[in-house]
């Protein structure tokens, strides 16, 4: 007998010469498929998830794609009630997705909500032309006729003639740096009922803090909060989101801030949810101005946050 493992009747050689019953591999594969399906929302298109590379061609989830799907599904939980509210009385909801990238969020929103609703439209706004073209082709293949994709920067979208005059919901998932502020400005201009924002990579405030660091250190001991570079970056991000929330409250929105998913899934995880009430908070505007003055940011950033 050679050193190779010999299969017994009804089995086959496994690793280290161990025998496995016929069909064991298929059984495990079926169990994996069932586990994947259990993680998906009812009605979710498997083909769409494969096209977005969230599922492999074999219909499996890897760790990276599972994290991505978890983020988008969590965000969907916040957006779906807003869409349902906007769709009342036969209204066709309009949603603008800024910094859309590969449009994971837009496609899943359409697949789970807009497709079944039978009305309403999604506009994905992304400055990288190749991603816009890819999204257009995918929407055409899937028959998602009420999805539109525009090749432009978020900052230019508010004045774009191709877009409707008003939107119900504005989203920005990981729109980098000032693109989140541009999405807020877009939402204000379009009188959005709600904005759902997950900011990313804020650098502008941190840069302003660095420029005035020497003066600030001589003026106030609070400047120790951003003396070291890593603290400058972290504090800059924190201040930016606080200013955004105050800006929204001063503009008539009720604001909730929470985490999107567990921190083990994403470090860029702060979720800002704003719903329009029409009640502009004067105290929010006053505190916004005070924070800008305290940190020496008014000259550089006042206009961005609604101050003359």
């Amino acid at each position: 007998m050679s050193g190779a493992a010999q299969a017994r009747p009804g089995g086959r050689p496994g690793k280290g010469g161990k025998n496995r019953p016929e069909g064991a591999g298929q059984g495990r594969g079926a169990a994996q498929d069932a586990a994947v399906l259990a993680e998906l929302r009812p009605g979710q298109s498997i083909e769409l998830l494969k096209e977005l590379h969230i599922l492999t061609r074999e219909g499996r989830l890897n760790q990276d794609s599972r994290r991505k799907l978890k983020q988008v599904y969590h965000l969907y939980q916040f957006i779906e009630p807003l869409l349902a509210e906007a769709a009342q009385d036969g209204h066709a909801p309009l949603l603008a997705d800024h910094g859309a990238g590969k449009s994971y969020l837009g496609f899943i929103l359409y697949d789970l909500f807009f497709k079944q609703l039978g009305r309403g439209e999604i506009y994905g706004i992304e400055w990288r032309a190749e991603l816009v073209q890819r999204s257009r082709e995918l929407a055409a293949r899937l028959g998602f006729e009420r999805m539109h994709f525009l090749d432009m920067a978020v900052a230019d979208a508010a004045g774009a003639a191709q877009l409707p005059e008003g939107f119900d919901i504005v989203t920005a998932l990981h729109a980098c740096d000032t693109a989140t502020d541009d999405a807020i400005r877009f939402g204000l201009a379009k009188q959005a009922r709600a904005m759902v924002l997950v900011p990313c990579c804020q650098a502008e405030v941190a840069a302003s803090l660095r420029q005035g660091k020497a003066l600030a250190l001589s003026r106030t001991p609070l400047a120790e909060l951003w003396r070291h570079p890593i603290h400058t970056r972290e504090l800059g991000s924190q201040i930016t989101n606080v200013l955004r929330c105050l800006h929204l409250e001063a503009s008539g929105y009720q604001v909730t801030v929470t985490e999107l998913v567990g921190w083990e899934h994403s470090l860029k995880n702060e979720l800002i949810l704003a719903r329009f009430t029409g009640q502009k908070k004067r105290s929010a505007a006053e505190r916004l101005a005070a924070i800008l003055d305290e940190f020496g940011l008014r000259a550089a950033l006042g206009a961005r946050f609604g101050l003359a």
Side-chain angles (χ1 to χ4, degrees):
M1 180 184 289
S2 70
Q6 298 297 311
R8 294 178 182 176
R12 59 181 179 178
K15 201 171 182 179
K18 293 182 181 178
N19 298 315
R20 289 186 297 173
E22 245 178 68
Q26 292 93 321
R28 186 168 61 253
Q32 289 173 339
D33 292 345
V36 168
L37 290 173
E39 293 190 45
L40 304 184
R41 285 185 165 268
Q44 179 75 77
S45 166
I46 300 295
E47 275 310 305
L48 170 64
L49 295 182
K50 287 180 180 180
E51 290 279 3
L52 294 175
H53 303 293
I54 289 177
L55 291 181
T56 66
R57 286 298 169 192
E58 294 75 33
R60 305 285 164 75
L61 274 170
N62 59 37
Q63 186 176 354
D64 215 35
S65 59
R66 179 175 276 107
R67 188 182 302 118
K68 189 174 297 180
L69 186 64
K70 188 177 182 68
Q71 285 189 58
V72 175
Y73 274 179
H74 269 260
L75 197 53
Y76 179 79
Q77 289 179 351
F78 291 99
I79 298 173
E80 192 272 338
L82 301 173
L83 286 170
E85 188 178 309
Q88 290 178 356
D89 301 321
H91 179 68
L94 295 178
L95 182 144
D97 181 28
H98 287 284
K102 296 179 180 178
S103 292
Y104 291 103
L105 177 61
F107 277 112
I108 287 178
L109 285 172
Y110 192 97
D111 191 41
L112 293 179
F113 187 87
F114 284 81
K115 185 171 67 176
Q116 297 174 39
L117 183 67
R119 60 182 185 276
E121 298 173 73
I122 293 179
Y123 289 80
I125 297 163
E126 168 60 45
W127 65 272
R128 289 167 289 185
E130 69 278 10
L131 296 184
V132 170
Q133 185 57 33
R134 199 177 304 163
S135 293
R136 287 173 178 163
E137 292 169 357
L138 177 54
R141 283 201 303 275
L142 295 171
F144 290 5
E145 298 175 353
R146 289 173 283 113
M147 288 193 79
H148 316 282
F149 302 93
L150 281 75
D151 170 11
M152 65 176 61
V154 179
D156 300 327
Q162 309 97 302
L163 288 165
E165 292 183 3
F167 275 87
D168 296 292
I169 299 170
V170 171
T171 63
L173 174 57
H174 297 162
C176 283
D177 201 13
T178 58
T180 297
D181 301 308
D182 295 331
I184 291 172
R185 188 159 51 250
F186 176 95
L188 295 177
K190 299 294 186 179
Q191 301 179 315
R193 296 188 188 192
M195 299 188 220
V196 183
L197 313 164
V198 181
C200 178
C201 310
Q202 299 96 309
E204 191 177 34
V205 169
S208 296
L209 290 174
R210 277 194 296 271
Q211 288 175 0
K213 188 178 294 187
L215 177 62
L217 282 166
S218 66
R219 185 173 62 86
T220 172
L222 285 177
E224 291 293 335
L225 293 172
W226 68 94
R227 178 160 65 93
H228 298 288
I230 188 172
H231 294 157
T232 306
R233 186 178 70 239
E234 291 173 352
L235 183 65
S237 177
Q238 178 79 354
I239 291 172
T240 303
N241 287 338
V242 169
L243 293 172
R244 286 166 174 163
C245 292
L246 290 170
H247 182 30
L248 286 163
E249 289 176 338
S251 302
Y253 287 79
Q254 181 185 46
V255 176
T256 302
V257 182
T258 186
E259 68 176 13
L260 176 58
V261 289
W263 290 101
E264 72 275 13
H265 294 285
S266 177
L267 294 176
K268 299 162 186 174
N269 202 31
E270 186 168 332
L271 171 63
I272 300 172
L273 178 61
R275 296 174 65 112
F276 185 71
T277 64
Q279 297 176 351
K280 298 182 179 182
K281 293 179 67 174
R282 186 167 65 181
S283 62
E286 291 169 351
R287 291 186 176 188
L288 171 61
I291 290 173
L292 288 171
D293 289 337
E294 179 66 29
F295 288 95
L297 298 170
R298 184 191 278 256
L301 302 175
R304 178 172 292 279
F305 294 103
L307 299 182

